[in-house]
Amino acid sequence: MKSVARRLALIMGLGLILGIAAQPTQAQSLAELKARGSLKVGMLVDFPPFGIINTDNKPDGYDADVARALADNLGLKLDLVAVTGPNRIPYLLSGQIDVLVASLGITPERAEKVTFSKPYAGIRTAVIGTAGTDFSTPDKLIGKRVGLARASTQDIAFTKVAKEGTLIQRFDDDASAVQALLSGQVDAIGCSNVVVDQILKVAPGRFEEKFPLSQQVQGIAVRPGSTEFLGAVDKFLVELKTSGKLNDISKKWLGAPAAEFVLKTN
Amino acid sequence: MYHFNFAPVLASWPDLLAGIETTLVLSASAMAIGLAVSIVLAAAKTSGFWALRFVVDAYVELIRNTPFLVQIFFIYFGLPSLGLRLTPTSAALLALVVNFSAYATEIIRAGIESIHHGQIEAGRALGLSGVQVFLYIVLKPALRNVYPAMTSQFIYLMLTSSVVSAISAGDLAAAGNDIQSRTFASFEVYIVVTLIYLVMSSAFSAIFSAIERAVFNYPVSR
């Protein structure tokens, strides 16, 4: 009896997997959403400050605020669904959610699976150094001391472009690298745009950005072929950027206004 | 079951070797300089001049009651605002000497105070100079008396040097962290680094025993 039940469960499970796999990825239409009255948005809850669980045990963060604004804009009730890094694209493609606002970095590989909106968030890393010095290229940093947070995005990006003879000093975190720059123990550091803004705030005029290292933008993702829906999302993003609302969200969660490369609307 | 893969760690042996070298050079230099500094400070403390004693006491208390990490941050990040800019390695060496000397001063002071005053008077009566009395009658037996405590402080100094990676000095711990962040084989990296520290500590212990046999191997009456 037991083995029959197990076999049945197995067959059902297999069927479920095959069913999901075989299910054609259907485009999302706006009319369908309006009829349902709600928008199911997938977001990460383990990626602060973009996606977190707040003290009320509800999903919150930069992504949640953008999702809330999107649902408001479309006149729909927001239904946040917690997804994880590995399962967020399967969630979208299998139709369990309508749209992903899940800090999904726009990459060519992902763009083959899902359709991306214009960027709604982004992280950029750059080299920042003492104002007035010519550190415009990696060549100019030969013999100079460059501080980096060990194993960070900027560490990987800078190590790749650094020329032989550059004195790379790796610290345990961003805070130590910034401290080394402020106290003059290094000539330049690599850091993200959020940290750059903080440095320019605490030490106005002493430092300036020298050259960019890496840039990644995050987009809202919809199922392929959802042209009309994507158009509505992109229209919403233009409004979000021009109204200054995205700036407010960025200030609230990242402590700095949205970077220019995120805000541009073309 | 975790699958160990030591290949990427062992492939980074040049980094590990450079880290070992930095750790050994830093520790050995700090031991030598620190020993000299703490002998001078212990002599000053037991000299009988209250001002000297007060200064040494203040230094010892300040260092022994603050964390090493804070001391090294102060030297590397704080001193530049006073005009003293040190490279990570020099800052690490200075911090190790400053930290070690505070503990060693107290150990050597205890050794000096263990010398019976009658011995010093006997030395003077034999016509030895003040320097000779200090070197042969006070210092050498004093060091002999506290040698075990000093060796464990030396070993502790070498292990403490692993903290200097916080100011980007390239010691063995920093090399381990770099390899770990490249290969993500953290478990393997820390096993290898731990074993290397263990071997280095044992080697230092062996050297200290050899020094003890060579320098302090003479009969004493108690």
Side-chain angles (χ1 to χ4, degrees):
Chain A
M1 240 350 250
K2 209 173 168 191
S3 77
V4 173
R6 196 178 292 166
R7 211 166 286 169
L8 253 174
L10 187 71
I11 290 167
M12 277 169 68
L14 271 175
L16 209 63
I17 293 168
L18 288 174
I20 290 169
Q23 188 181 11
T25 56
Q26 281 182 349
Q28 187 69 52
S29 78
L30 265 178
E32 189 194 331
L33 289 175
K34 299 267 190 218
R36 197 200 313 143
S38 72
L39 182 69
K40 284 187 273 184
V41 180
M43 66 170 279
L44 300 176
V45 290
D46 59 353
F47 192 59
F50 289 94
I52 57 168
I53 293 284
N54 67 14
T55 46
D56 297 332
N57 227 7
K58 298 258 163 53
D60 206 350
Y62 187 109
D63 288 354
D65 279 359
V66 172
R68 215 164 281 137
L70 174 64
D72 282 351
N73 181 275
L74 299 174
L76 299 167
K77 194 179 141 290
L78 176 67
D79 189 1
L80 285 174
V81 179
V83 297
T84 67
N87 77 15
R88 54 191 164 176
I89 289 177
Y91 253 85
L92 177 68
L93 295 182
S94 63
Q96 298 180 64
I97 53 174
D98 307 316
V99 59
L100 270 179
V101 187
S103 300
L104 198 61
I106 301 177
T107 64
E109 296 80 20
R110 284 177 183 149
E112 286 175 12
K113 299 260 186 191
V114 300
T115 305
F116 280 108
S117 70
K118 295 279 181 285
Y120 77 95
I123 294 171
R124 204 164 61 91
T125 62
V127 169
I128 171 169
T130 316
T133 48
D134 179 18
F135 294 158
S136 50
T137 60
D139 295 297
K140 301 273 170 58
L141 286 168
I142 294 172
K144 302 290 177 202
R145 300 158 304 170
V146 181
L148 297 164
R150 187 174 275 125
S152 58
T153 315
Q154 57 270 28
D155 182 0
I156 295 158
F158 184 78
T159 308
K160 217 177 277 169
V161 298
K163 294 286 183 293
E164 176 117 27
T166 310
L167 307 172
I168 295 180
Q169 289 182 217
R170 290 193 176 83
F171 295 90
D172 290 338
D173 47 32
D174 269 332
S176 301
V178 171
Q179 199 54 54
L181 181 72
L182 293 177
S183 60
Q185 290 287 25
V186 293
D187 302 298
I189 62 168
C191 58
S192 74
N193 50 312
V194 177
V195 175
V196 169
D197 286 336
Q198 285 167 351
I199 294 172
L200 297 181
K201 210 182 290 166
V202 295
R206 278 180 60 198
F207 304 102
E208 64 189 11
E209 208 176 296
K210 300 301 183 182
F211 60 89
L213 283 174
S214 66
Q215 180 171 317
Q216 197 190 33
V217 285
Q218 283 119 272
I220 296 175
V222 299
R223 281 191 289 280
S226 318
T227 325
E228 186 198 8
F229 182 38
L230 182 70
V233 170
D234 273 335
K235 194 167 143 270
F236 151 74
L237 282 176
V238 170
E239 280 175 38
L240 195 68
K241 291 170 186 180
T242 49
S243 67
K245 226 175 152 191
L246 189 66
N247 243 340
D248 294 342
I249 295 175
S250 180
K251 276 185 209 155
K252 176 178 168 192
W253 293 104
L254 306 177
E260 237 165 80
F261 69 96
V262 175
L263 280 182
K264 60 174 197 224
T265 49
N266 51 8
Chain B
M1 175 61 194
Y2 188 83
H3 289 283
F4 286 99
N5 180 13
F6 284 98
V9 181
L10 301 178
S12 311
W13 65 269
D15 296 336
L16 285 174
L17 212 60
I20 291 171
E21 192 194 337
T22 306
T23 292
L24 286 180
V25 170
L26 259 184
S27 312
S29 318
M31 284 172 199
I33 302 170
L35 180 64
V37 170
S38 44
I39 287 173
V40 171
L41 292 184
K45 189 171 170 172
T46 52
S47 65
F49 294 107
W50 70 268
L52 277 179
R53 190 193 165 102
F54 177 79
V55 171
V56 174
D57 272 347
Y59 158 74
V60 168
E61 290 308 314
L62 176 69
I63 297 303
R64 292 208 306 184
N65 293 301
T66 49
F68 180 60
L69 188 63
V70 174
Q71 294 162 10
I72 200 167
F73 277 161
F74 180 82
I75 288 173
Y76 186 69
F77 293 128
L79 288 188
S81 58
L82 303 176
L84 182 62
R85 187 152 294 149
L86 298 166
T87 65
T89 315
S90 327
L93 179 61
L94 179 61
L96 285 170
V97 167
V98 165
N99 185 267
F100 169 80
S101 300
Y103 292 89
T105 297
E106 280 301 288
I107 295 174
I108 294 175
R109 177 197 56 82
I112 290 176
E113 286 177 353
S114 74
I115 304 302
H116 199 276
H117 202 69
Q119 302 235 13
I120 299 168
E121 284 168 7
R124 291 225 180 94
L126 286 171
L128 296 180
S129 71
V131 174
Q132 284 173 321
V133 168
F134 181 74
L135 286 181
Y136 302 116
I137 295 181
V138 177
L139 187 61
K140 195 170 175 183
L143 288 179
R144 179 187 163 124
N145 286 348
V146 295
Y147 195 74
M150 282 301 282
T151 54
S152 62
Q153 200 63 43
F154 278 137
I155 301 288
Y156 190 66
L157 161 72
M158 193 205 67
L159 299 179
T160 308
S161 77
S162 63
V163 173
V164 305
S165 64
I167 57 160
S168 78
D171 75 319
L172 177 57
N177 278 334
D178 284 343
I179 297 169
Q180 190 259 118
S181 68
R182 271 203 313 268
T183 62
F184 300 106
S186 46
F187 206 10
E188 290 88 340
V189 169
Y190 291 128
I191 288 174
V192 169
V193 168
T194 304
L195 286 177
I196 295 174
Y197 271 114
L198 187 64
V199 168
M200 290 198 298
S201 301
S202 312
F204 269 116
S205 291
I207 293 169
F208 293 138
S209 306
I211 292 175
E212 183 174 23
R213 280 195 302 276
V215 180
F216 298 123
N217 189 17
Y218 53 85
V220 281
S221 60
R222 293 265 173 203

